[in-house]
Amino acid sequence: MPYVQLSNGAHLPLLGFGTWIAQAPQPGVFTSAIDVAIDNGCRHFDCAALYQNEKEVGDALKIAFAQGRVKRQQVFITSKLWNTMHHPSHVPSAIKKSLQDLQLDYVDLYLIHWPVAFANTPDGSPFPTTPDGETILADVDYLDTWKAMEKLVDQGLAKAIGLSNFNSKQIQRVLDNCTIKPAVLQIESHPYLNQHQLISYAQSKGIAVTAFSPLGSKERPWAASGQPELLKDPVVNKIAQKCNKSAAQILLRFQIQRNVAVVPKSINESRIKENLQVANFQLAEEDMNQLMNIPTKFRYCDPDMIGNGKGMGQDAENSYYPFYEPF
């Protein structure tokens, strides 16, 4: 399995398994999907507290370890700190809850999920809102959160720490004020949002990049009619036909050849296997250029879209919202 070496020396497999599922499947279906991924060579699992399924991931991993199908040191597990837990006093309990659910002593990578902090309310809601539906934000500087993240490495709870959905200015601010630099940046990326500038910037700083929604997040609940469907794109499908591969395989290979890790998600056995079979072919330079220059531009995971305009970017003065910058 191809990998990228992180700044701490660890190997991040370029092919991973995303665990965000829009609608919870029937009991056992998700753990079976993890089993299929493990048995077909996947060694990178992208998790998060927000996904509310880390316990199921942990159950599947525990069984796989006990059966000797894979060893703990052979898998790379990522989790993420959710927006309501940004205050430094909440960071330790957040990772300990994820570790308890995952049934692990440490995660290989712990990310700040978004630079924007939400209020930590008594009801524990991951999306605290006012009566009129606006997200309740919290005044927490992500630099303070980062300092708390660094302590997790010192305590052995996380082998590496990183950022998700941060722009270049925010990343640079962390780099200018950190003791432990971010090992990974996770962002949405695909041919409709190729993120060339941001990926080049991160890699130039020694920060590895992981792409989420590499297939276009077809099952996102906030999808609206008329929005572009990446898997149906004519350029993608023409290249797929030429290479005798699926559109999904072309999109995954596109990122791997940019040295970007990918974490596609699926609970379908045949698709999981197909997604893992992208290391045995190469896209020609002409194909890569065509994919980089598809004219359609679209961000599938925009918080304001998700929140009907009342999400993270609701306040134009909110300097931590990441998508106001060009990259």
Side-chain angles (χ1 to χ4, degrees), residues 82 84 118-121 123-130 133-137:
W82 183 238
T84 55
F118 292 170
N120 188 291
T121 53
D123 64 0
S125 171
F127 294 97
T129 56
T130 63
E134 290 193 352
T135 302
I136 305 174
L137 304 176

Side-chain angles (χ1 to χ4, degrees), residues 81 84-95 120:
L81 179 78
T84 55
M85 306 299 284
H86 276 211
H87 193 279
S89 65
H90 293 145
V91 173
S93 59
I95 193 171
N120 188 291

Side-chain angles (χ1 to χ4, degrees), residues 246-263:
S246 70
Q249 288 175 317
I250 297 302
L251 293 168
L252 298 177
R253 185 69 207 179
F254 166 71
Q255 299 291 5
I256 288 172
Q257 287 185 211
R258 304 169 77 200
N259 212 31
V260 171
V262 283
V263 286

Side-chain angles (χ1 to χ4, degrees), residues 20-23 216-223 265-267 271:
W20 178 78
I21 301 294
Q23 187 171 4
S217 196
K218 182 180 178 182
E219 297 178 359
R220 64 197 186 283
W222 56 89
K265 51 188 177 288
S266 179
I267 56 173
R271 289 197 190 117

Side-chain angles (χ1 to χ4, degrees), residues 2 15 243-245 249 253 256-257 274 276-283:
L15 271 170
C243 297
N244 195 28
K245 300 292 180 181
Q249 288 175 317
R253 185 69 207 179
I256 288 172
Q257 287 185 211
E274 178 184 275
L276 291 167
Q277 295 170 356
V278 297
N280 60 350
F281 75 100
Q282 192 87 1
L283 291 174

Side-chain angles (χ1 to χ4, degrees), residues 139-193:
D139 185 19
V140 181
D141 189 331
Y142 56 79
L143 286 185
D144 294 329
T145 308
W146 187 258
K147 293 299 181 185
M149 297 276 286
E150 291 178 329
K151 293 179 181 178
L152 303 180
V153 178
D154 296 336
Q155 295 164 5
L157 300 177
K159 297 293 186 183
I161 49 178
L163 308 170
S164 179
N165 298 298
F166 277 57
N167 64 43
S168 60
K169 288 188 176 180
Q170 292 168 332
I171 297 167
Q172 190 62 53
R173 187 166 175 253
V174 173
L175 289 171
D176 291 342
N177 292 276
C178 68
T179 301
I180 300 174
K181 81 173 193 176
V184 173
L185 171 68
Q186 186 171 128
I187 52 174
E188 178 182 348
S189 180
H190 42 73
Y192 290 173
L193 186 70

